[in-house]
Amino acid sequence: VGTNGTSNFLLNLLLIIPVILFSTTIFLYIKNKSNSAIPLFMTLTLTFSSISIIAGGDGLTEYHFSIFMVIAMIATFQSIKMIIISTIIFAIHHLAGFFFFPILICGTDDYSFGLLLVHAVFLVMTSVSTGIIIMYIKRAESMFAIESEKATTKLNELNAEITERAMQLNAISQQLAVESTTTKNSSLNIILFTQSLCLLFLQF
């Protein structure tokens, strides 16, 4: 009876923890959407929700697949740290549950430790693979940012060169306009001078 009572207490505790974590996450989000602690509390919420599902489902294998769903959802934060935190919690949950409360983690008292290790290996492989994917995504984003910065720099240089050429063309155009006015004035002066000579000749 004592064991059953302890198991029921732990089960109720495991069901309450995700609710508390989720409520805290919502509170932090409402207070400040940019709070850096939100990803951590969301990670803890999802992790303990999976643990609660497994415990509430009598440790059936089907419910253990929620672990991989949690890892996939946490990956959206693109934080290897969050993946590591969740993996460590799941590892402690499996080991402690197997040795102290196997009913909550395995659904039976005579579950094979070898099968538990298989679960652990798959968990680690999934976490490592997800971490590698996150690193590649971040590397690709970093390379894209560098190329984008280079393209922006070249575009700015091209715009500056075009502006400089436009200013030079404008200066040349103004100079031509001045020279054209000077030439026009010179032509008028020549015409006037010619007319004056003609008048002088006519007088003689």
Side-chain angles (χ1 to χ4, degrees), residues 91-148:
I92 294 173
H93 160 243
H94 275 64
L95 290 174
F98 180 82
F99 289 110
F100 299 105
F101 299 97
I103 296 295
L104 295 178
I105 184 69
C106 307
T108 178
D109 291 325
D110 56 353
Y111 195 79
S112 170
F113 185 70
L115 288 177
L116 186 73
L117 288 180
V118 170
H119 290 179
V121 168
F122 271 100
L123 172 61
V124 172
M125 288 174 59
T126 301
S127 299
V128 171
S129 300
T130 305
I132 292 174
I133 291 172
I134 291 173
M135 284 193 297
Y136 270 97
I137 291 174
K138 287 187 174 182
R139 185 179 300 175
E141 289 178 346
S142 177
M143 292 177 63
F144 176 77
I146 292 172
E147 293 299 325
S148 179

